[in-house]
């Protein structure tokens, strides 16, 4: 079966920066599955999300959704295709127009439907995220942070998309509310068959929802594999560092080096040797669906 989303050879450079924001990223997601990308700020996660959403063009590479290359579509074709992929942002307050009532916000993507059908869809999707019909007539500021994120999820799901890109969707919420939103996303996947690309800085959060995880550092995937394996027995030193940070045992290290050659993590890595400084490692198969990019493993 062909994947719902396939990303191949993505590269993104801004201006004359020495290090590419994305340096050759490849992955695929099959329908009804969840793929998580985790890494600290500046690793390239949000750049990747914007390219997958066709909000930013890559310097090289391809994004295919439902077999179509997004960046080969005309503006009209892309607008029509957007019903198949929607995004949930980190800050629900910033992503919801404060001048619009919730019913109109959620119905924004349903412009093609007749008014009666659009109204019924809005009521249905608000109900599915645990908000009653009365929410339609209220403004975003009248809701709590967790409720606003539910509104954002409802808007993303209203067009019945095949893919939802969730970029740090719970990081601005309290821990108890995070769990509620993550459980909601999981329930909606089981009920509606939604496919998620889930992006976070927290391995534990990604592991709650995703079957497969990719760990990103300096624009590259350094480890990929089944969530259970990556969380329980991380191989790459950077994955181990992130896991320790998520458990409160340590914090991520120094900023990225601006290196032209070698492994970008070498300056922080306890295993780094001469080879690491000379050439960047590629992902290699370790078995069991696990791949890692590290000369020392």
């Amino acid at each position: 079966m062909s994947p719902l989303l396939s990303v191949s050879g993505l590269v993104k450079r801004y201006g004359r920066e020495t290090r590419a924001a994305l340096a050759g990223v490849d992955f695929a997601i099959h329908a009804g599955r969840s793929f998580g990308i985790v890494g600290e700020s500046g690793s390239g996660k949000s750049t990747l999300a914007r390219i997958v959403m066709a909000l930013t063009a890559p310097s090289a590479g391809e994004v295919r959704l439902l077999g179509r290359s997004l960046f080969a579509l005309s503006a009209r074709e892309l607008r029509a295709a957007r019903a198949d992929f929607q995004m949930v942002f980190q800050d629900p307050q910033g992503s919801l127009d404060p001048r619009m009532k919730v019913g109109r916000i959620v119905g924004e993507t349903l412009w093609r439907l007749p008014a009666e059908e659009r109204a019924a869809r809005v009521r249905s999707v608000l109900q599915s995220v645990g908000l009653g019909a009365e929410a339609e007539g209220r403004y975003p500021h009248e809701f709590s942070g967790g409720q606003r994120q539910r509104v954002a999820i409802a808007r993303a799901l209203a067009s019945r998309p095949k893919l939802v890109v969730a970029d740090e969707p719970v990081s601005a919420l309290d821990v108890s509310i995070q769990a509620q939103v993550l459980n909601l996303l999981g329930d909606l996947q089981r009920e509606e068959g939604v496919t998620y690309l889930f992006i976070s800085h927290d391995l534990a959060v990604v592991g709650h929802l995703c079957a497969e995880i990719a760990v990103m550092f300096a624009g590259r995937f350094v480890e990929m594999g089944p969530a259970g394996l990556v969380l329980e027995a991380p191989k790459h030193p950077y994955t181990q560092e992130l896991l320790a940070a998520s458990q409160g045992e340590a914090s991520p290290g120094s900023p990225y080096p601006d290196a032209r050659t070698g492994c970008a993590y070498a300056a922080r890595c306890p295993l780094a040797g001469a080879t690491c400084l000379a050439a960047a490692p590629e992902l290699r198969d370790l078995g069991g669906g696990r791949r890692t990019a590290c000369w020392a493993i």
Side-chain angles (χ1 to χ4, degrees), residues 264-287:
Y265 188 64
R268 285 164 57 171
C269 183
L271 305 179
T275 303
C276 306
L277 300 174
E282 299 293 331
L283 284 167
R284 61 186 178 89
D285 192 359
L286 297 181

Side-chain angles (χ1 to χ4, degrees), residues 160-183:
R160 295 176 178 165
K162 304 295 191 299
L163 173 72
V164 171
V165 178
D167 187 7
E168 298 275 11
V170 299
S171 63
L173 305 176
D174 292 338
V175 173
S176 60
I177 306 300
Q178 284 187 12
Q180 292 177 20
V181 172
L182 289 170
N183 288 335

Side-chain angles (χ1 to χ4, degrees), residues 68-90:
R68 295 180 297 175
S69 177
L70 292 184
F71 293 97
L73 300 179
S74 68
R76 178 179 295 182
E77 289 171 332
L78 181 59
R79 186 183 183 197
R82 286 197 181 282
D84 289 325
F85 59 110
Q86 295 290 321
M87 190 163 186
V88 178
F89 295 90
Q90 175 179 1

Side-chain angles (χ1 to χ4, degrees), residues 178-179 181-184 186 203-211 213 227 231:
Q178 284 187 12
V181 172
L182 289 170
N183 288 335
L184 170 63
L203 270 170
V205 166
V206 172
H208 188 95
L209 186 68
C210 300
I213 293 175
L231 289 172

Side-chain angles (χ1 to χ4, degrees), residues 235-237 263 269-273 275-276 281 284 286 292-297:
K235 294 292 187 183
H236 196 280
C263 175
C269 183
L271 305 179
T275 303
C276 306
R284 61 186 178 89
L286 297 181
T292 191
C294 181
W295 292 118
I297 296 173

Side-chain angles (χ1 to χ4, degrees), residues 130-147:
L131 296 174
E134 70 279 0
E136 293 181 56
R138 297 165 64 187
Y139 290 94
H141 73 269
E142 299 180 74
F143 295 89
S144 68
Q147 288 173 324

